[in-house]
Structures are given as structure tokens and as C-alpha cells.
Amino acid sequence: MPFIEESDLLELHKDIDKAQLINERLLDQIKYKNKELRRSKIQRNIFGSITVFFLIFTLAVFSYNAGFVRSTNMESRNNLLVSIDSLEVIKARIDNLKEKNEELSLVKEFYLAKKFLEKEKIYSVQVKSFIDNNLTLASESLGNTIFAKTNPFYSYSLGNFETLEEARSFRYQLVKMGFKDAFVASYRDGKRIEIEDPY
């Protein structure tokens, strides 16, 4: 019957404690990002409301001026050209706001997907462990990576899979690419549940 040395058991407990610390840090980072997202959403809504109000006000002023001023001199024509130019500037601002709104929607979808993944059991392939918190590997553009603390190490996992078979297939591809120590682990709420059988 296999047994575990007391020193190995202590190391495992230390690893678990470190993983919990990393997980808490990640949760704090996610909370901070969610606050930033809410703040930027509020700012976007306020800015959009002000822009719409300004647009309505500007259109009302121009239509009032256009309806009552019927002068045919050159000065009147120049004023009309200025108002058309102002309308073009406003349209450009609206287009710019629409682009920013689309970008914020993508960010929101990313964080909603992250929240969903934290609640469901997922599988990921761990490719590396570090003693130090080496966040240089974590990229903002990679949404399907997990950087978790598994005491005393920081683990770096790739992929978020719904089924164990998908994760095993991905692990097999990574092993063929040279990641010989890669293994499949299951996660829930951003915490590793267990290391899965590779076959």
C-alpha cells in the first residue's frame, strides 16, 4: 500500500496554502477589473447622454435658425456651411462613441464568460509551475488561460474545456509539441479541484 512521507505531506499543505493565496489575489484582481468595467460603463452612459443632449440642442438651434432666417446674402450662406460642418463633427463624435461602446461590450462579454467559467467545472491543461508569481506569461488577450496558486507554486494552464476528453486531446497535442510534463486538471470557482487521469 503506498504511503506518503510526512515531509511530502507538509509540502503538499504548503502548496495548497500558496494556491489559495494566488486564487485570492486573482479574485481581487477580477473584482478590481469589474469595478473598472462598471465605472467605465457609467462614464460611457453619462458621456453618451451628454452627447445626445448636445446633438438635440444643436439640431434645435440650427433648425430654429434655418426656419426663421431667410436671408439670401453671402453671410447667411456661410452660416449654413458652418452649421453643416458642425453637424459633421457631431456625426463623427457619435461614430466614435459607437466604436467605444462596441469595445466595452467585448470587454463585458469577456468578463461575463470569466464569471461563467468560475461557476462551472472546467478542465484545463497545466503546462508550467513557478515558485514566484511570474505574471509576464499572462496576457490580457488570452482569455482561456488559468494562472492559479497551488501552494507553494503558481501554475499556468492553457485552455478551458467543458469535457475531460477535449482537455486530454489538447494535452496530447501539447505533449507532441514538447510539453512533456503537461497534465489535465479540473477547476471550479477558479480553484483546482483535482489532477485528472491523463488517459
Side-chain angles (χ1 to χ4, degrees):
M1 181 169 152
F3 67 96
I4 187 165
E5 296 281 336
E6 187 171 326
S7 62
D8 291 338
L9 183 61
L10 288 173
E11 287 297 319
L12 286 173
H13 283 289
K14 289 178 184 178
D15 290 346
I16 291 170
D17 291 339
K18 287 182 182 178
Q20 289 172 343
L21 287 173
I22 289 175
N23 188 35
E24 290 172 6
R25 287 179 189 162
L26 289 173
L27 288 174
D28 288 341
Q29 289 175 358
I30 289 173
K31 287 177 185 176
Y32 178 74
K33 289 292 182 181
N34 283 338
K35 285 180 184 177
E36 284 182 350
L37 182 63
R38 277 189 232 112
R39 190 177 314 124
S40 64
K41 183 178 178 183
I42 290 169
Q43 290 173 347
R44 181 193 70 213
N45 288 341
I46 291 171
F47 187 70
S49 299
I50 291 171
T51 304
V52 168
F53 176 77
F54 180 74
L55 176 65
I56 292 171
F57 177 77
T58 306
L59 289 176
V61 168
F62 287 136
S63 55
Y64 176 79
N65 287 338
F68 290 103
V69 177
R70 305 247 178 215
S71 174
T72 56
N73 62 22
M74 194 59 138
E75 184 177 317
S76 174
R77 290 181 187 166
N78 287 340
N79 287 339
L80 183 59
L81 291 176
V82 169
S83 66
I84 291 173
D85 290 340
S86 298
L87 188 58
E88 292 299 322
V89 169
I90 292 171
K91 285 181 182 179
R93 285 183 184 170
I94 290 173
D95 290 340
N96 188 19
L97 284 174
K98 285 180 181 178
E99 289 176 15
K100 287 183 180 181
N101 190 18
E102 290 173 7
E103 291 173 6
L104 288 173
S105 294
L106 292 174
V107 170
K108 180 181 176 184
E109 289 175 14
F110 171 77
Y111 282 107
L112 288 176
K114 272 260 199 225
K115 279 187 172 182
F116 174 76
L117 291 176
E118 288 175 358
K119 293 180 181 176
E120 298 296 321
K121 181 177 181 180
I122 59 167
Y123 301 93
S124 187
V125 180
Q126 183 173 326
V127 293
K128 189 72 177 170
S129 289
F130 303 97
I131 294 176
D132 295 324
N133 187 359
N134 188 358
L135 285 176
T136 57
L137 289 176
S139 171
E140 294 293 328
S141 63
L142 296 176
N144 60 350
T145 58
I146 298 174
F147 192 72
K149 179 152 177 58
T150 55
N151 289 335
F153 300 101
Y154 296 89
S155 63
Y156 189 72
S157 299
L158 299 175
N160 295 321
F161 302 100
E162 292 181 5
T163 65
L164 182 59
E165 290 75 26
E166 291 174 320
R168 286 178 177 160
S169 173
F170 185 63
R171 177 199 167 270
Y172 177 73
Q173 293 173 5
L174 288 174
V175 168
K176 285 179 18 182
M177 290 171 43
F179 292 93
K180 302 291 183 203
D181 296 333
F183 60 88
V184 177
S186 57
Y187 294 85
R188 180 176 284 129
D189 294 328
K191 298 178 184 177
R192 185 167 71 190
I193 299 170
E194 65 179 313
I195 297 173
E196 302 291 337
D197 184 17
Y199 305 107

